[in-house]
């Protein structure tokens, strides 16, 4: 897992490259569309696909913001699920205009102090291509 920045100090940021997470259910890592950070990005399948990032530093725990860098080159939004330590909520990715145009989706979540698990799941449509997740 590539982590940039971080530590246990509140106010720091940890960035997790999506391609270093576990993928399954037809979800794959790709390098087709330019502009991603790291060595690749994750493209989910339409249903049953997932990206799971383990060992996410909760930076003292409590309410945090996940900044999800993604691209979605279609004209309509796509909704799936985000599970944080097993607790699910819907997550919607809005179009970015092109598969090479990357944007950031900010989602407020509760994190535990120490290690956390983030899991993105497709539930009938694939998600935006996920590049990286930053905890703030």
């Amino acid at each position: 897992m590539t982590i940039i920045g971080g530590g246990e100090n509140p106010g720091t940021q940890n960035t997790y490259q999506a391609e270093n997470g576990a993928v399954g259910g037809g979800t794959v890592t790709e390098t087709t569309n330019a502009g991603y950070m790291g060595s690749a990005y994750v493209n989910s399948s339409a249903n049953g696909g997932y990206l799971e990032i383990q060992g996410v530093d909760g930076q003292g725990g409590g309410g945090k913001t996940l900044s999800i860098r993604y691209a979605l080159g279609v004209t309509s939004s796509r909704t799936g699920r985000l599970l944080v330590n097993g607790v699910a909520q819907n997550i919607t990715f809005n179009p970015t205009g092109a598969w090479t145009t990357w944007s950031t989706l900010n989602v407020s979540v509760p994190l535990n102090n120490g290690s956390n698990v983030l899991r993105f799941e497709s539930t009938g449509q694939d998600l935006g291509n996920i590049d990286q997740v930053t905890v703030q």
Side-chain angles (χ1 to χ4, degrees):
M1 181 71 52
T2 301
I3 302 173
I4 303 167
E8 290 291 328
N9 300 320
T12 62
Q13 296 181 359
N14 290 327
T15 298
Y16 300 86
Q17 293 300 133
E19 68 273 16
N20 294 330
V23 297
T27 295
V28 297
T29 59
E30 291 182 344
T31 58
T32 305
N33 301 307
Y36 56 87
M37 311 288 274
S39 61
Y41 57 87
V42 171
N43 184 353
S44 71
S45 60
N47 198 21
Y50 68 87
L51 160 63
E52 183 169 290
I53 303 172
Q54 298 181 6
V56 174
D57 183 358
Q59 301 176 10
K64 303 294 179 187
T65 299
L66 300 181
S67 293
I68 305 158
R69 188 171 191 267
Y70 76 100
L72 183 56
V74 296
T75 58
S76 59
S77 299
R78 294 182 175 172
T79 299
R81 289 193 313 176
L82 167 63
L83 290 87
V84 178
N85 299 317
V87 178
Q89 67 183 62
N90 287 338
I91 184 170
T92 299
F93 295 86
N94 292 316
T96 61
W99 291 111
T100 55
T101 301
W102 299 88
S103 187
T104 302
L105 171 61
N106 292 317
V107 180
S108 297
V109 299
L111 294 180
N112 297 326
N113 185 25
S115 184
N116 294 267
V117 177
L118 306 179
R119 185 177 173 106
F120 298 87
E121 295 181 343
S122 58
T123 57
Q125 52 189 319
D126 60 352
L127 307 174
N129 290 342
I130 300 175
D131 181 30
Q132 64 185 24
V133 179
T134 301
V135 178
Q136 301 180 46

mmCIF file of all heavy atoms in Angstrom, residues 5-6 10 47 51 60 65 88 111 125:
data_model
loop_
_atom_site.group_PDB
_atom_site.id
_atom_site.type_symbol
_atom_site.label_atom_id
_atom_site.label_comp_id
_atom_site.label_asym_id
_atom_site.label_seq_id
_atom_site.Cartn_x
_atom_site.Cartn_y
_atom_site.Cartn_z
ATOM 1 N N GLY A 5 2.364 11.037 2.950
ATOM 2 C CA GLY A 5 2.055 11.871 4.110
ATOM 3 C C GLY A 5 1.621 11.003 5.263
ATOM 4 O O GLY A 5 1.861 9.813 5.295
ATOM 5 N N GLY A 6 0.981 11.607 6.250
ATOM 6 C CA GLY A 6 0.308 10.816 7.262
ATOM 7 C C GLY A 6 0.940 10.788 8.607
ATOM 8 O O GLY A 6 1.606 11.708 9.029
ATOM 9 N N PRO A 10 -3.471 14.490 13.986
ATOM 10 C CA PRO A 10 -4.667 15.073 13.391
ATOM 11 C C PRO A 10 -4.280 16.209 12.446
ATOM 12 O O PRO A 10 -3.334 16.942 12.676
ATOM 13 C CB PRO A 10 -5.446 15.597 14.596
ATOM 14 C CG PRO A 10 -4.950 14.780 15.747
ATOM 15 C CD PRO A 10 -3.498 14.492 15.434
ATOM 16 N N ASN A 47 -21.648 -5.066 -11.685
ATOM 17 C CA ASN A 47 -22.352 -5.597 -10.527
ATOM 18 C C ASN A 47 -21.468 -6.601 -9.797
ATOM 19 O O ASN A 47 -20.907 -7.488 -10.420
ATOM 20 C CB ASN A 47 -23.658 -6.260 -10.956
ATOM 21 C CG ASN A 47 -24.628 -6.430 -9.813
ATOM 22 O OD1 ASN A 47 -24.539 -5.746 -8.806
ATOM 23 N ND2 ASN A 47 -25.557 -7.351 -9.958
ATOM 24 N N LEU A 51 -13.506 -2.730 -4.768
ATOM 25 C CA LEU A 51 -12.166 -2.269 -4.434
ATOM 26 C C LEU A 51 -12.138 -2.160 -2.927
ATOM 27 O O LEU A 51 -12.992 -1.487 -2.339
ATOM 28 C CB LEU A 51 -11.872 -0.901 -5.057
ATOM 29 C CG LEU A 51 -10.726 -0.094 -4.431
ATOM 30 C CD1 LEU A 51 -9.386 -0.805 -4.588
ATOM 31 C CD2 LEU A 51 -10.684 1.310 -5.020
ATOM 32 N N GLY A 60 -6.611 9.347 14.504
ATOM 33 C CA GLY A 60 -7.204 9.705 15.786
ATOM 34 C C GLY A 60 -8.681 9.374 15.886
ATOM 35 O O GLY A 60 -9.278 9.477 16.945
ATOM 36 N N THR A 65 -13.006 13.278 6.217
ATOM 37 C CA THR A 65 -13.428 13.417 4.826
ATOM 38 C C THR A 65 -12.557 12.536 3.953
ATOM 39 O O THR A 65 -11.331 12.601 4.033
ATOM 40 C CB THR A 65 -13.314 14.878 4.353
ATOM 41 O OG1 THR A 65 -14.164 15.692 5.165
ATOM 42 C CG2 THR A 65 -13.722 15.030 2.897
ATOM 43 N N ALA A 88 -22.417 0.427 5.521
ATOM 44 C CA ALA A 88 -22.634 0.844 4.133
ATOM 45 C C ALA A 88 -23.372 2.175 4.020
ATOM 46 O O ALA A 88 -24.215 2.510 4.844
ATOM 47 C CB ALA A 88 -23.424 -0.229 3.394
ATOM 48 N N LEU A 111 -14.335 7.369 11.104
ATOM 49 C CA LEU A 111 -13.242 6.404 11.109
ATOM 50 C C LEU A 111 -12.843 6.073 12.535
ATOM 51 O O LEU A 111 -12.992 6.905 13.443
ATOM 52 C CB LEU A 111 -12.023 6.948 10.357
ATOM 53 C CG LEU A 111 -12.177 7.158 8.856
ATOM 54 C CD1 LEU A 111 -10.887 7.710 8.258
ATOM 55 C CD2 LEU A 111 -12.593 5.882 8.147
ATOM 56 N N GLN A 125 -24.408 -0.958 -11.669
ATOM 57 C CA GLN A 125 -23.718 -0.134 -12.664
ATOM 58 C C GLN A 125 -22.295 0.058 -12.160
ATOM 59 O O GLN A 125 -22.062 0.060 -10.957
ATOM 60 C CB GLN A 125 -24.425 1.211 -12.862
ATOM 61 C CG GLN A 125 -24.690 1.969 -11.575
ATOM 62 C CD GLN A 125 -25.570 3.183 -11.793
ATOM 63 O OE1 GLN A 125 -25.414 3.900 -12.769
ATOM 64 N NE2 GLN A 125 -26.497 3.425 -10.891
#
